[in-house]
Amino acid sequence: MTTGRDRIRLRKPTASSVALDLTFLALVGLSVFGFFAIDTKGLKTGPAAAKLLSDLVKMFAHPVAKHFSLAEAIWAMLLTLGLAFLTTLLGAFLAIILSSFAAKNLSKPAVSNALKLLVAFVRAVPTILWVLIFAIGAGLGSVAAVVGMTFHSFAYLLKAYSESFEEVGGDVVEALKASGANWTQIVCQAVVPSSMSYIVSWTFMRFEINFANAVAMGAAAGAGGIGYELFMASGFYFNIGEVGFITYLILFVAILLELGAMRLKARQHVQR
Amino acid sequence: MAILTIKSLTKYYKDLRALSEVSLKVKAGEFVTVIGRSGAGKSTLLRCVNRMIEPSSGLIEFDGIDMRSLGRRDLRKARTRIGMIFQHFNLVPRQTVIENVLHGRLGYKSTLQGSFGIYSDEEKSHAVDVLARLGLAEQMHKRCDQLSGGQKQRVGIARSLVQDPRLILCDEPIASLDPSSAKTIMDHLHRISRDMKITILMNLHQVDVAIKYSDRIIGIREGGIVFDDEPRRLKKKIVAEIYGSDADDILFEESPE
Ligand SMILES: Nc1ncnc2c1ncn2[C@@H]1O[C@H](COP(=O)(O)OP(=O)(O)OP(=O)(O)O)[C@@H](O)[C@H]1O
Ligand SMILES: [Mg+2]
């Protein structure tokens, strides 16, 4: 019999759950306070909202391509996709070689830990910052974008690959070691094939991330492609319709990528 | 002639003594099972033989080779002549049966050939023969994740057989199988030891199975040998000693004197 007073709790409050609750409350409080504390500088909320709505309608209901033809837009999109593809490929190549040194079951603890620490640091710095850092040497442009994006992709994929190596490889590594196979043979014949499905999904996921990055790099780092057109349309020609057009184009490609990812996953499930 | 001689083998995991002063001899072609309760040190003993676990002290002599003196390269060479079979089969699930079997040849190949999976025609036909002998000819091109447990274990046996081994170590080879697949596996291993004169050293949990198949049984308790003799000498009292208080639950028929 439970009365209202002493109900059965499913979880006991722990130090971390209390901290989480307090953080959540603080964030809610700050959000509410922030909303009232905004200095609108005499901006009237009503007319401003109406203007925003009309601009959004113009952007998405009347997309136009004025400063470029459709062919040029597609070309720019291909350029962006190319940047994403190239950086994913380079990053994946480097990561697959080094991740066998980072996996605990294939490497010495010192080497593994050092590598993992290094890539944790590389991952902690956002891609765009790496691009800007490499821009110091290479100048702002496609070279800095390729190097910076490759660098971050490599760190991301190294973590993903080495963890799947650790998860999947264990048993087979033991078996092949016991039969006298050497390290390289074990990695190539057992570890990589066992984790192939993980490798494929992680790489594709990174490709999707890199597509978004490549759009941003076009705008922010002058790497060209569709991002650059978006930047020009919004910040240079102030053509809202063109911004809408480019956004639709990017959305379309992103949906295609998502569909591709889903099919890939479905196929692997069937194979399992 | 002894193919495997172990003298005063001791293994410490930090402060825990898993094996203490274990000595035993295994004759070529003999079928030896090691029994003992969970944690007695069976797996540790088996893995010290091919140095998958480094012993703390003692002597291990396999086929006239002092295993503990070997460097990395020579150890790999020695390991090619020792097959190993696991409770969980330890196959690459996404590769085909024949690919998994051929992994047993890697120790004999150059790094390059092995890494790219380039095998000679002889190796391939040997693998096919072995698979046929184990009744897996039809499954050859199936992916291993599509096989039943019993079939997977037969692939494991095939992989160790293409190594051309003198000794096969089996760590609870039937522990995750149903009784009928378990019998098939035990029959195959028995035939391998009898017909091919390959020595078998096996850990088992089922005393009745050990009695039925082995030439010799070794009972270990808390890292030390407490019984080492023919199956017919294994009496209820000794089983009770090996298994301690769990002995009441153990099914087996004492052989009549
Ligand atoms: N890597 C390890 N580190 C520390 N202790 C270990 C390690 N491996 C085994 N042990 C300990 O050594 C003892 C012997 O273990 P072992 O695995 O050889 O037993 P076993 O007879 O094979 O048991 P089971 O029947 O459960 O497989 C156990 O007490 C175990 O906890
Ligand atoms: Mg064990």
Side-chain angles (χ1 to χ4, degrees):
Chain A
M1 289 290 113
T2 55
T3 64
R5 188 84 67 77
D6 45 37
R7 267 175 304 173
I8 298 171
R9 279 164 168 270
L10 295 183
R11 287 188 190 155
K12 282 190 178 162
T14 61
S16 76
S17 77
V18 169
L20 205 67
D21 290 349
L22 287 180
T23 312
F24 182 71
L25 278 179
L27 285 178
V28 170
L30 281 173
S31 306
V32 172
F33 172 74
F35 193 76
F36 287 111
I38 294 172
D39 179 7
T40 51
K41 288 249 162 48
L43 193 79
K44 298 279 184 301
T45 322
K51 183 77 175 68
L52 175 69
L53 201 68
S54 85
D55 276 357
L56 281 177
V57 168
K58 221 192 276 173
M59 192 184 285
F60 292 112
H62 309 285
V64 286
K66 194 166 162 231
H67 296 93
F68 49 80
S69 66
L70 184 65
E72 279 170 331
I74 291 173
W75 176 246
M77 180 57 87
L78 285 179
L79 214 65
T80 299
L81 280 170
L83 178 61
F85 186 73
L86 178 71
T87 52
T88 310
L89 201 70
L90 287 174
F93 179 72
L94 292 174
I96 214 158
I97 292 175
L98 283 175
S99 50
S100 35
F101 294 95
K104 284 222 156 49
N105 53 346
L106 295 169
S107 179
K108 295 208 165 65
V111 179
S112 158
N113 288 336
L115 261 174
K116 283 186 169 170
L117 203 70
L118 179 81
V119 298
F121 171 72
V122 174
R123 264 181 299 117
V125 178
T127 311
I128 183 77
L129 264 179
W130 282 118
V131 173
L132 295 178
I133 289 168
F134 285 113
I136 296 168
L140 214 50
S142 47
V143 176
V146 169
V147 177
M149 282 171 66
T150 300
F151 203 52
H152 199 273
S153 306
F154 153 73
Y156 178 93
L157 290 174
L158 186 124
K159 178 179 153 68
Y161 293 168
S162 61
E163 277 173 5
S164 45
F165 285 4
E166 284 166 6
E167 195 183 319
V168 170
D171 281 2
V172 195
V173 172
E174 186 189 22
L176 294 200
K177 227 189 218 170
S179 76
N182 70 27
W183 186 87
T184 320
Q185 294 170 336
I186 294 174
V187 171
C188 295
Q189 279 296 302
V191 180
V192 172
S194 322
S195 18
M196 211 51 191
S197 63
Y198 291 91
I199 293 178
V200 170
S201 1
W202 280 113
T203 311
F204 199 83
M205 193 148 137
R206 184 65 206 190
F207 179 62
E208 285 188 75
I209 296 175
N210 275 352
F211 174 66
N213 280 338
V215 173
M217 288 320 134
I226 200 76
Y228 182 69
E229 301 297 341
L230 185 64
F231 169 69
M232 291 301 276
S234 69
F236 197 76
Y237 302 125
F238 300 112
N239 190 331
I240 288 181
E242 222 165 72
V243 171
F245 177 80
I246 293 169
T247 308
Y248 275 125
L249 200 61
I250 292 172
L251 201 67
F252 175 70
V253 173
I255 289 172
L256 279 188
L257 289 182
E258 192 56 45
L259 287 178
M262 267 159 60
R263 287 194 66 152
L264 208 68
K265 280 218 183 90
R267 220 191 58 201
Q268 276 167 10
H269 262 290
V270 172
Q271 278 185 4
R272 248 158 205 287
Chain B
M1 204 204 89
I3 185 142
L4 179 68
T5 307
I6 297 176
K7 269 194 200 133
S8 308
L9 174 64
T10 300
K11 170 66 189 175
Y12 281 95
Y13 294 109
K14 302 240 168 65
D15 289 334
L16 181 108
R17 192 163 63 185
L19 290 177
S20 45
E21 300 281 327
V22 170
S23 299
L24 62 99
K25 271 189 184 179
V26 180
K27 289 203 287 276
E30 215 174 1
F31 193 122
V32 179
T33 44
V34 180
I35 58 172
R37 60 196 286 184
S38 189
K42 304 183 295 295
S43 299
T44 306
L45 172 62
L46 223 65
R47 282 174 168 69
C48 279
V49 171
N50 58 359
R51 276 179 56 193
M52 292 301 285
I53 290 176
E54 284 299 338
S56 305
S57 65
L59 173 93
I60 296 161
E61 199 178 281
F62 162 70
D63 206 8
I65 307 164
D66 174 8
M67 291 294 283
R68 293 195 63 208
S69 71
L70 300 178
R72 276 173 26 152
R73 183 178 291 264
D74 290 326
L75 176 62
R76 262 190 274 124
K77 210 171 133 203
R79 279 177 179 167
T80 57
R81 306 306 300 274
I82 306 176
M84 194 159 193
I85 294 169
F86 306 85
Q87 177 182 349
H88 299 293
F89 326 122
N90 299 17
L91 307 171
V92 181
R94 297 174 61 83
Q95 286 186 325
T96 61
V97 166
I98 183 100
E99 280 175 310
N100 268 287
V101 172
L102 284 166
H103 284 163
R105 294 301 300 172
L106 288 175
Y108 290 100
K109 306 194 74 71
S110 72
T111 301
L112 208 63
Q113 282 182 324
S115 298
F116 288 99
I118 302 165
Y119 301 98
S120 70
D121 288 341
E122 275 162 298
E123 286 173 319
K124 287 183 204 164
S125 65
H126 184 199
V128 173
D129 285 350
V130 169
L131 279 173
R133 226 178 303 152
L134 292 164
L136 283 174
E138 250 106 83
Q139 269 70 35
M140 195 166 97
H141 293 113
K142 265 202 191 158
R143 273 169 49 140
C144 280
D145 48 12
Q146 293 165 1
L147 302 181
S148 71
Q151 289 173 325
K152 282 182 191 164
Q153 195 57 294
R154 277 185 273 160
V155 177
I157 296 175
R159 179 176 63 190
S160 72
L161 283 181
V162 297
Q163 278 178 243
D164 206 1
R166 302 219 53 199
L167 167 69
I168 298 182
L169 305 169
C170 314
D171 195 2
E172 292 175 27
I174 56 170
S176 20
L177 300 179
D178 64 89
S180 120
S181 315
K183 182 172 185 310
T184 314
I185 294 299
M186 289 304 297
D187 288 341
H188 277 302
L189 288 171
H190 189 242
R191 214 166 302 141
I192 285 164
S193 98
R194 193 191 55 206
D195 300 346
M196 304 170 76
K197 302 279 174 283
I198 295 174
T199 314
I200 305 264
L201 183 61
M202 177 185 300
N203 289 346
L204 267 188
H205 266 303
Q206 299 87 337
V207 179
D208 52 339
V209 178
I211 290 172
K212 181 168 171 211
Y213 288 94
S214 342
D215 299 322
R216 216 170 101 212
I217 293 179
I218 292 171
I220 63 174
R221 175 175 185 172
E222 286 164 20
I225 293 185
V226 292
F227 177 82
D228 181 353
D229 212 331
E230 291 169 37
R232 63 189 177 85
R233 295 258 161 72
L234 188 67
K235 299 297 171 201
K236 274 231 160 69
K237 200 170 124 276
I238 303 164
V239 173
E241 196 190 330
I242 296 170
Y243 283 91
S245 53
D246 307 345
D248 294 342
D249 306 333
I250 292 164
L251 298 165
F252 88 107
E253 299 283 319
E254 219 170 89
S255 59
E257 250 350 288

